[in-house]
């Protein structure tokens, strides 16, 4: 990473080297790309839990049988492999994960 000084103080450059994703369109970057270009929304009525206490009742849900722990491990492995990171490199690598579930 490069470090420079800007108007607001030091800034750092970040390079995205690996990516993996699971969305309402399915698993993988190709599924996401195809879904986006299809023009068909991934958002559908939520059926896994009662949405009465939420402002919306639609979401881009993954498959019903998706095991979140396994999926997160798979996504991490895919992104690290794509980035060419060895197990030692992974210890110092930044991992950014997004998503969520009702609490």
């Amino acid at each position: 990473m490069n470090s420079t000084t800007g108007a607001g103080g030091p800034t750092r450059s970040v390079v995205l080297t690996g990516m993996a994703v699971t969305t309402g369109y399915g698993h993988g970057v190709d599924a996401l790309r195809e879904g986006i270009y299809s023009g068909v929304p991934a958002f559908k009525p939520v059926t896994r839990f009662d949405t009465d206490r939420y402002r919306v009742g639609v979401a881009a849900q993954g498959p019903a049988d998706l095991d979140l722990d396994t999926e997160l491990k798979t996504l991490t492995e895919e992104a690290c492999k794509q980035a060419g990171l060895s197990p030692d490199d992974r210890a110092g690598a930044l991992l950014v994960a997004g998503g969520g579930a009702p609490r």
Side-chain angles (χ1 to χ4, degrees), residues 29-80:
V29 176
D30 290 338
L32 175 60
R33 182 184 315 105
E34 290 169 16
I36 290 170
Y37 288 138
S38 75
V40 177
F43 288 77
K44 299 178 177 143
V46 173
T47 57
R48 295 188 192 160
F49 55 87
D50 182 16
T51 60
D52 287 346
R53 66 185 187 140
Y54 301 101
R55 292 186 302 171
V56 296
V58 297
Q61 304 174 90
D65 61 348
L66 182 72
D67 176 58
L68 188 56
D69 288 339
T70 301
E71 187 65 14
L72 288 174
K73 288 175 188 173
T74 300
L75 292 171
T76 301
E77 287 296 321
E78 286 178 12
C80 287

